[in-house]
Amino acid sequence: MRASRLISLVLLLQSRESMTAAELARELEVSERTVYRDVEALSAAGVPVYAEHGRGGGYRLVGGYRTRLTGLSREEAEALFLAGLPGPAEDMGLADAVAAAELKVLAALPPGLRDAPERAGRRFHLDAPGWFGESGPPPVLRDLTRAVWHDEVVEFRYRRARASGGDGASGASGADGDGVRTVEPYGLVLKNGTWYLVAKAGGRHRTYRVDRIDDLRPAGRRFDRDEDFDLPGHWAAQAEDFLRSLLREEITIRLGPRGRRLLRYAVEPYAARRALEDAGEPDADGWVTTTLPIEFPEVACHELLRLGTEVEVLDPPELRELIAATAAGVAALYRRPSGGAP
């Protein structure tokens, strides 16, 4: 455990040049006292780390010092070659850069780990796009990637979705209607085969589907990026906010033991998680009563019928009647001879 932490400390100083004991303690999730002891151990082992006192000081490595990747385990080395997705990297125009980086990492690995990419490639393949996505990346994706890398302000024409609920995460972004946008592109996200741009416009971060962006052009200036902006955290929070806004109603249901296990396959995972978290204690037969967030009663009817007799709607009465009528229609259909007239 300590050896791994010492390697992490050296790599942190290599990548950031100077860090205080407090910053290292936060990154390594240890106390500052532990950082002091680790630095002493590194110095004793011949690693040229030193402390620079005063304002703007911190721990540094003697200029030019680099450690080889000899501290990697086999599992770490093989996982390294699964970190990137070759398809999306090529879509963004980064295939050559990724290939060059992999070659350099491969050259730095000890001889016993040189087969890591081959072993990983034979065992795992990460296919990010959805089954029914469009063929090929959006035309503006590579230009957007360059703008994101270089913090360049861009202008484009944006087409909003016409059907409600069809805009995905972009519907939660608060973007206005169709028209020209001037934005500061902060990042790109690939979700279920669809690319999204997270950009700052009008003083707030908004989300746009890349396949609805046309006439992209540079605005001829750069922007100062907010280095505290957390793209993964922003995306996760926005996605949950979108689901909350989508699932506006709640119903009361009873779930059987098998229904509790299968609920996440029948409804949105967020809704299933909420329902299971809010569930009361099981009765003598293992059934629980809980509330389930839904979009509309008609949608809930379609989803809950997948659970058959493992779910019962208690409230509202209108949804109970809708499910009962639908189930009765299905039963009547299958009582007739196969292919018989209504």
Side-chain angles (χ1 to χ4, degrees):
M1 181 69 177
R2 191 189 187 197
S4 174
R5 190 175 68 243
L6 291 175
I7 293 172
S8 297
L9 194 156
V10 173
L11 293 176
L12 281 170
L13 292 179
Q14 281 186 192
S15 62
R16 304 192 189 179
E17 295 186 0
S18 176
M19 296 182 70
T20 65
E23 290 170 339
L24 286 166
R26 283 196 299 272
E27 289 284 348
L28 299 172
E29 298 181 349
V30 296
S31 67
E32 291 186 38
R33 187 179 297 274
T34 298
V35 171
Y36 299 146
R37 289 197 296 264
D38 286 351
V39 169
E40 290 178 3
L42 288 170
S43 297
V47 176
V49 57
Y50 70 96
E52 191 174 76
H53 301 288
R55 185 179 180 86
Y59 288 109
R60 299 175 181 270
L61 293 171
V62 171
Y65 179 82
R66 289 290 182 269
T67 181
R68 292 177 59 82
L69 298 177
T70 53
L72 288 175
S73 68
R74 170 164 289 280
E75 290 79 8
E76 291 168 336
E78 291 172 353
L80 190 61
F81 289 92
L82 289 174
L85 298 173
E90 183 175 358
D91 291 347
M92 292 187 290
L94 301 176
D96 291 344
V98 170
E102 288 186 349
L103 284 175
K104 290 177 181 179
V105 171
L106 186 59
L109 289 174
L113 299 181
R114 297 280 170 82
D115 63 339
E118 181 183 0
R119 282 173 51 86
R122 286 182 175 180
R123 288 163 173 77
F124 303 99
H125 176 65
L126 306 180
D127 186 7
W131 282 107
F132 305 107
E134 295 181 359
S135 57
V140 301
L141 181 60
R142 294 196 176 196
D143 290 336
L144 267 180
T145 300
R146 284 193 291 270
V148 168
W149 273 121
H150 299 295
D151 298 336
E152 294 175 345
V153 179
V154 295
E155 297 176 353
F156 55 77
R157 185 173 298 279
Y158 191 63
R159 296 172 283 107
R160 293 281 286 172
R162 292 291 178 260
S164 63
D167 206 24
S170 62
S173 68
D176 300 326
D178 293 1
V180 176
R181 308 284 199 280
T182 300
V183 305
E184 300 173 355
Y186 267 67
L188 289 162
V189 176
L190 178 62
K191 174 70 172 178
N192 291 341
T194 300
W195 286 96
Y196 295 90
L197 169 69
V198 177
K200 194 171 185 179
R204 59 177 294 190
H205 290 94
R206 302 168 182 260
T207 304
Y208 306 90
R209 279 186 57 147
V210 176
D211 58 3
R212 296 192 185 131
I213 292 177
D214 296 318
D215 302 328
L216 180 77
R217 55 193 177 277
R221 63 184 186 275
R222 296 192 176 188
F223 65 92
D224 294 324
R225 173 180 289 267
D226 178 5
E227 296 300 337
D228 292 330
F229 178 71
D230 176 13
L231 179 61
H234 170 83
W235 179 263
Q238 179 174 285
E240 186 145 318
D241 287 346
F242 173 67
L243 285 174
R244 285 174 180 160
S245 68
L246 187 68
L247 305 175
R248 296 182 295 269
E249 302 182 32
E250 285 189 344
I251 61 174
T252 304
I253 60 173
R254 291 177 68 238
L255 284 168
R258 190 163 176 264
R260 297 205 304 273
R261 294 194 301 271
L262 296 178
L263 184 63
R264 64 191 180 100
Y265 300 109
V267 302
E268 284 285 345
Y270 167 79
R273 186 175 71 250
R274 281 275 308 277
L276 295 177
E277 288 173 352
D278 295 343
E281 291 297 319
D283 62 17
D285 297 320
W287 285 66
V288 298
T289 300
T290 187
T291 56
L292 176 71
I294 66 167
E295 185 176 1
F296 298 110
E298 294 78 7
V299 175
C301 174
H302 172 73
E303 293 176 336
L304 294 179
L305 281 172
R306 302 173 187 174
L307 298 179
T309 57
E310 284 294 316
V311 64
E312 178 188 5
V313 173
L314 303 179
D315 190 66
E318 297 81 9
L319 181 55
R320 281 182 63 92
E321 294 170 5
L322 178 60
I323 291 178
T326 305
V330 172
L333 174 65
Y334 280 90
R335 287 195 191 103
R336 296 197 301 267
S338 176

